[in-house]
Amino acid sequence: MDAGQTVKTTFWCQQGADMVEQSLEAELKQLECHFTWNLEASVREVSWFEEAIEFQLKYNSEVWNPTAHNFLAFIAAMKKSWPCALQHLAAAEEASRKTSHQEMSEHNLVLYSNYAWVHFQMNNQQEANCYLKKVQKISGETKVGDCTSPVNPEVLAEKGWTLFRCGFAHYNNAAMCLKEALKSRPDHVQWTLACAIALCRCEWKYNSSDCYKLEPLEGEKLLRQTLELDPENSMASIHLAIRCQAKRQKKEAHLHLRKALHKASNHPTIQKYNAHFLEREGSPESLNEAIRIAQDALNTNPNNRSLLYTLGKVYYRKAKLLEKEIMEPKTKQDQIKSLLDKSIYFNQKSYAVSEKTFVKPMCNVARTYAEVGMIDQARSLYNDLFAGQERLTCSENVQILHAQFGLLLLRQNDVEEAKKHFTLGLHMNENPNAANICKDELEKLP
């Protein structure tokens, strides 16, 4: 074979290999898994996903262990840490084997799809194709049942859980996936609970005023359904306690709280919600207990932004209560300052560990600055907060900042500047509660 024929043969071999690769990639893009759910932006925006998911693995239901390992494998793949990705996929496979006891099970659809993608990205086309065939075989043998979606319920449930772990912007889609999965398996306890929590978060975000009404919303109904399926479910009980508390159903709220604590008082997630419950009660005794419980939970989960945020609110509320006490002025002033300093510290830490994705703690800091006469520092802080959001993909925080800064400016009688921020916030379509604040305040202003 002369040199020209060799070059031509090499060219056609390369062309054939490229066509095979493109064909394989096209098939992989049809799969339902982490690599096709558009999660890249959420994962790259912050780096604490791994810690949060590993916490789930350690302390929450084993039902979701394969799902958690699948997500960790995807995060590792985003970093091109292939040994770590394969290690997590193997762990997901082992966790799945404990529950389904079958290799070719619908429980493994996302797992094998992720395997296919990882091997494809590692240029192991033969392995990728092998896992693709497994997915196709399981899909062909699995009936979707009464579910109206063409996607398998196991896959929908895993997608819902994964989207929920990605944060506020994904709660609505997470709830939709889980609701669709439940159509075929309405008695699945963990799916019902996950859907209930996702819906509750959506309801607080989009219909917060309705959450205080006596008529139960869909999230609350599913929490009660979870308890019908599993009366000892502590997670459902603690969420229902908080929902009843918001509706001022104090007796029932405490009943559900006691049920949650009876079985899982030392569980860090239960402790977190218990501290939140006590902070909202607001009495001196409940605030002190909230501090004790939250500090205990932080020993296990030191970078939990929600716990840190709750502590910030608790110390602020203690300062407000102390202002009403009759005592020696200098002592009172020193104690209030100490409490406000602690409030600022925990709010700042909550914002820091969230990597600027959770602005409400710093809005609280700015409010505290303004209340103690540090209005220039409060304004400067808001300028920094607006600047800090430029690097993020979600503009919801910016709308919240416009609403909260507008309220602060109103308290300082800076009406015209407040109007500007309320107007800007009203025209954004990210956070309905922030939009409502802007709308209501603008209607009150001349």
Side-chain angles (χ1 to χ4, degrees), residues 295 298 305 307-313 315 341-352 361 365:
Q295 291 283 12
L298 281 174
R305 68 179 193 176
L307 271 171
L308 295 164
Y309 178 53
T310 294
L311 273 171
K313 291 193 293 182
Y315 281 112
D341 285 345
K342 288 178 180 177
S343 174
I344 290 169
Y345 167 79
F346 283 108
N347 276 308
Q348 288 176 331
K349 191 169 182 182
S350 176
Y351 181 62
V365 171

Side-chain angles (χ1 to χ4, degrees), residues 276-293:
H276 176 62
F277 184 98
L278 292 166
E279 181 269 325
R280 291 180 63 175
E281 281 215 323
S283 68
E285 297 78 15
S286 66
L287 293 177
N288 288 335
E289 182 68 1
I291 291 172
R292 184 191 68 78
I293 291 169

